């Protein structure tokens, strides 16, 4: 009888502990849900003062601000609200949470820190390039000596035909790979259709998912995805400058499949709809989420179109649709790969420019030399730097971090199915730069 009573007492205590832990978890989750609503509503209000802040919103319609923005940014009110949300997130006990909820809380805190930083910048606070990148994107940009890129330029110099500077010879050589404007729509539709087919062979996307594509002008970017919610995107392609054949797959995958469109659709499907994590119903552009978004969109190009498959599709489908000669396709592809190794030079130039160490004209000249831009394209790029500042790290550093994470978890070139699987899990869950290491 005593043994029975003792057993009942142990069972009762264990049940009470489990029950208490379950209640604590539910309470923490409810608290996080309440904080998520406050966070989303505050970001939507902040977005009235800068249209770039909210990149996408697909939450409750009634959460959108009704009152128009005040004439002057009420920065202190925004800071007070975001800081209170941050303090309440930090006060929560992670030991009472599941691993999933702990990741949610960690990501949430980093997103709120970015919101605080953005308000302070709107208020006039000056941050240097690296500090800004750390606070907004949870990332530490690498540093490269320009001599590192000089050696890459030497290798490109040997591959390019003609006479003159490397940039001049590249411009001349590249002209034969420009997509005629009259054929842009046909080429891009074919590239997006193939990217979509390849992605849907691996991922179950929402049944109603779809997109609309538009060609636009007078933009600081080459392509943009406006995710509207419910699996729908507006994809815009900027035609201010010539568009070359490789950009068809680049933009089809980056903006569409398995890039931004798929990333947002999976977040909406898995985190917002299934788990009710409403903080993911808003995508604040200047936040750690952007490093994952841009990095995964760039890496997604290689996931959907591994090197050999990409060139084969371009030669057999896209080149003919654009009316281009395929005889130089392999050489062009090899030079593009070399030029891709210059990508981080743009970050170094942006750091110097945004930290006030070089002028716009100098930055443009350096972009011509190290990224082989035409001068007018280089000046457009400086305008992008003015507008988005340290955001430039998200494309290349983001891609490297995502690539290393996927490969470290088994998604290597010789295991393509595993690569698709790990990549999908990364797109579908809370992740930020420091969480990928």
């Amino acid at each position: 009888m005593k043994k029975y009573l003792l057993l009942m007492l142990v069972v009762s205590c264990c049940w009470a502990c489990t029950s208490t832990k379950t209640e604590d978890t539910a309470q923490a989750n409810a608290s996080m849900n309440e904080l998520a609503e406050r966070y989303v509503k505050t970001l939507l209000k902040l977005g009235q003062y800068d249209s770039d802040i909210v990149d996408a919103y697909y939450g409750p319609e009634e959460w959108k601000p009704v009152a128009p923005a005040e004439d002057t940014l009420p920065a202190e009110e925004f800071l007070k609200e975001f800081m209170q949300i941050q303090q309440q997130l930090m006060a929560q006990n992670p030991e009472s949470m599941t691993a999933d909820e702990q990741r949610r809380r960690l990501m949430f805190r980093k997103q709120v820190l970015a919101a605080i930083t953005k308000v302070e910048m709107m208020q006039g606070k000056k941050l240097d390039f690296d500090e800004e990148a750390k606070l907004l994107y949870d990332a530490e940009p690498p540093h490269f000596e320009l001599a590192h890129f000089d050696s890459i330029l030497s290798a490109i110099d040997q591959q390019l035909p003609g006479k003159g500077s490397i940039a001049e010879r590249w411009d001349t050589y590249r002209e034969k790979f420009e997509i005629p404007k009259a054929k842009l729509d046909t080429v891009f539709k074919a590239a997006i259709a193939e990217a979509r087919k390849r992605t849907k062979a691996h991922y179950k996307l929402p049944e109603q998912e779809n997109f609309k594509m538009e060609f636009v002008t007078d933009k600081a970017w080459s392509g943009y995805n406006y995710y509207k919610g419910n699996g729908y995107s507006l994809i815009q392609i900027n035609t201010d400058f010539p568009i070359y054949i490789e950009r068809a797959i680049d933009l089809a995958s980056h903006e569409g499949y398995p890039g931004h469109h798929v990333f947002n659709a999976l977040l909406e499907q898995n985190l917002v709809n299934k788990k009710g994590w409403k903080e993911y119903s808003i995508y604040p552009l200047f936040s750690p989420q952007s490093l994952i978004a841009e990095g995964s969109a760039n890496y997604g190009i290689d996931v959907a179109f591994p090197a050999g498959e990409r060139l084969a599709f371009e030669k057999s489908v896209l080149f003919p649709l654009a009316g281009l000669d395929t005889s130089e396709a392999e050489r062009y592809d090899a030079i593009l790969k070399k030029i891709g190794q210059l990508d981080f030079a743009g970050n170094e130039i942006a750091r110097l420019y945004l930290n006030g160490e070089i002028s716009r004209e100098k930055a443009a000249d350096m972009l011509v030399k190290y990224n082989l831009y035409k001068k007018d394209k280089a000046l457009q790029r400086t305008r992008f730097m003015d507008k988005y500042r340290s955001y430039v790290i998200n494309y290349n550093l983001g891609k490297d971090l995502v690539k290393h994470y996927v490969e470290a978890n088994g998604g290597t070139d010789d295991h393509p199915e595993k690569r698709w699987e790990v990549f999908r899990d990364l797109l579908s869950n809370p992740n930020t730069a420091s969480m990928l290491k």
Side-chain angles (χ1 to χ4, degrees):
M1 185 67 177
K2 288 181 179 179
K3 289 182 179 178
Y4 174 76
L5 290 173
L6 182 60
L7 179 61
M8 290 298 292
L9 180 61
V10 171
V11 170
S12 177
C13 289
C14 289
W15 179 87
C17 291
T18 303
S19 176
T20 301
K21 187 173 182 179
T22 302
E23 290 173 3
D24 287 347
T25 300
Q27 185 175 359
N29 197 41
S31 176
M32 219 161 351
N33 288 341
E34 292 165 5
L35 293 175
E37 180 176 341
R38 287 170 56 188
Y39 165 78
V40 171
K41 288 179 175 178
T42 307
L43 269 179
L44 288 171
K45 290 179 182 177
L46 184 62
Q48 292 180 296
Y49 296 89
D50 182 342
S51 60
D52 287 320
I53 286 174
V54 178
D55 191 78
Y57 176 65
Y58 38 88
E61 192 68 22
E62 61 270 20
W63 286 9
K64 291 182 178 180
V66 177
E70 298 176 18
D71 292 336
T72 305
L73 173 73
E76 295 306 322
E77 292 179 22
F78 284 115
L79 288 173
K80 180 180 179 182
E81 177 65 357
F82 283 132
M83 286 177 177
Q84 285 182 354
I85 293 170
Q86 186 74 293
Q87 290 166 3
Q88 290 176 51
L89 283 170
M90 293 175 68
Q92 292 177 346
N93 179 17
E95 294 181 3
S96 67
M97 300 177 184
T98 65
D100 203 25
E101 289 159 347
Q102 289 178 21
R103 289 184 68 84
R104 178 192 182 186
R105 173 177 174 265
L106 178 57
M107 179 69 175
F108 198 172
R109 286 174 54 192
K110 291 179 182 295
Q111 292 285 99
V112 176
L113 175 60
I116 292 169
T117 303
K118 183 58 181 174
V119 174
E120 291 176 336
M121 291 173 66
M122 293 169 71
Q123 202 177 18
K125 186 174 183 177
K126 302 295 183 184
L127 298 170
D128 68 33
F129 185 88
D130 288 358
E131 185 180 13
E132 180 186 311
K134 178 66 175 175
L135 291 171
L136 289 180
Y137 307 114
D138 188 39
E140 298 178 7
H143 287 242
F144 292 90
E145 295 294 332
L146 291 177
H148 167 74
F149 304 108
D150 288 328
S151 63
I152 299 170
L153 284 173
S154 296
I156 296 170
D157 186 23
Q158 295 174 17
Q159 289 182 281
L160 281 172
K163 296 181 179 180
S165 70
I166 297 175
E168 289 169 343
R169 286 153 57 207
W170 173 239
D171 285 344
T172 301
Y173 179 67
R174 201 181 195 191
E175 285 176 1
K176 65 181 71 176
F177 303 100
E178 180 183 348
I179 305 171
K181 284 199 173 183
K183 297 183 178 182
L184 281 173
D185 188 61
T186 300
V187 172
F188 269 86
K189 281 181 178 175
I192 293 177
E194 181 67 15
R196 188 184 197 188
K197 182 181 78 173
R198 290 171 178 239
T199 301
K200 293 187 78 169
H202 298 275
Y203 297 166
K204 183 176 177 56
L205 299 177
E207 289 184 11
Q208 75 283 3
E209 71 82 21
N210 211 334
F211 68 93
K212 178 183 178 183
M213 183 175 64
E214 294 179 347
F215 292 97
V216 297
T217 58
D218 195 26
K219 302 294 182 182
W221 36 258
S222 56
Y224 212 104
N225 177 295
Y226 295 94
Y227 190 72
K228 303 297 185 180
N230 200 30
Y232 180 77
S233 286
L234 169 63
I235 296 174
Q236 293 188 335
I237 308 298
N238 184 12
T239 60
D240 283 344
F241 296 96
I243 298 179
Y244 302 96
I245 192 65
E246 75 278 4
R247 295 298 285 159
I249 283 179
D250 283 350
L251 292 172
S253 297
H254 182 101
E255 306 299 344
Y257 304 84
H260 291 322
H261 175 69
V262 172
F263 178 55
N264 283 300
L266 289 177
L267 288 182
E268 181 182 23
Q269 179 178 262
N270 295 307
L271 299 187
V272 179
N273 296 341
K274 288 184 180 178
K275 295 184 177 181
W277 295 359
K278 294 298 186 184
E279 68 269 28
Y280 287 94
S281 66
I282 193 166
Y283 172 16
L285 190 67
F286 305 102
S287 74
Q289 188 174 333
S290 276
L291 182 134
I292 303 301
E294 300 294 0
S296 64
N298 269 355
Y299 180 64
I301 300 168
D302 299 330
V303 175
F305 293 90
E309 294 180 26
R310 171 177 179 153
L311 185 56
F313 179 74
E314 286 176 334
K315 285 181 65 177
S316 63
V317 178
L318 300 186
F319 271 72
L321 287 175
L324 303 180
D325 180 8
T326 62
S327 63
E328 283 279 312
E330 282 81 4
R331 184 184 193 180
Y332 184 60
D333 183 64
I335 296 173
L336 282 171
K337 285 182 171 62
K338 282 288 185 184
I339 290 174
Q341 296 174 24
L342 295 169
D343 204 31
F344 276 93
N347 291 18
E348 297 303 322
I349 296 164
R351 180 188 286 109
L352 292 170
Y353 173 59
L354 294 171
N355 285 350
E357 297 178 46
I358 59 174
S359 67
R360 180 188 304 279
E361 191 69 20
K362 177 65 174 177
D365 288 340
M366 291 177 72
L367 287 168
V368 170
K369 177 180 179 179
Y370 287 105
N371 290 121
L372 306 186
Y373 289 153
K374 290 184 178 180
K375 186 60 178 285
D376 53 354
K377 177 73 172 177
L379 288 168
Q380 183 209 41
R381 189 63 180 171
T382 64
R383 293 195 296 274
F384 183 94
M385 294 172 186
D386 291 335
K387 189 175 180 67
Y388 298 107
R389 297 185 54 81
S390 62
Y391 192 93
V392 297
I393 70 162
N394 294 328
Y395 299 98
N396 42 35
L397 177 59
K399 178 183 178 179
D400 280 1
L401 290 173
V402 169
K403 181 178 187 290
H404 293 154
Y405 175 84
V406 172
E407 291 179 350
N409 285 277
T412 51
D413 289 342
D414 54 342
H415 293 92
E417 289 297 328
K418 183 65 175 179
R419 180 164 54 191
W420 277 103
E421 177 189 331
V422 176
F423 189 58
R424 180 192 60 227
D425 291 343
L426 182 144
L427 296 179
S428 304
N429 291 287
N431 281 294
T432 182
S434 61
M435 293 163 70
L436 294 185
K437 294 180 179 180

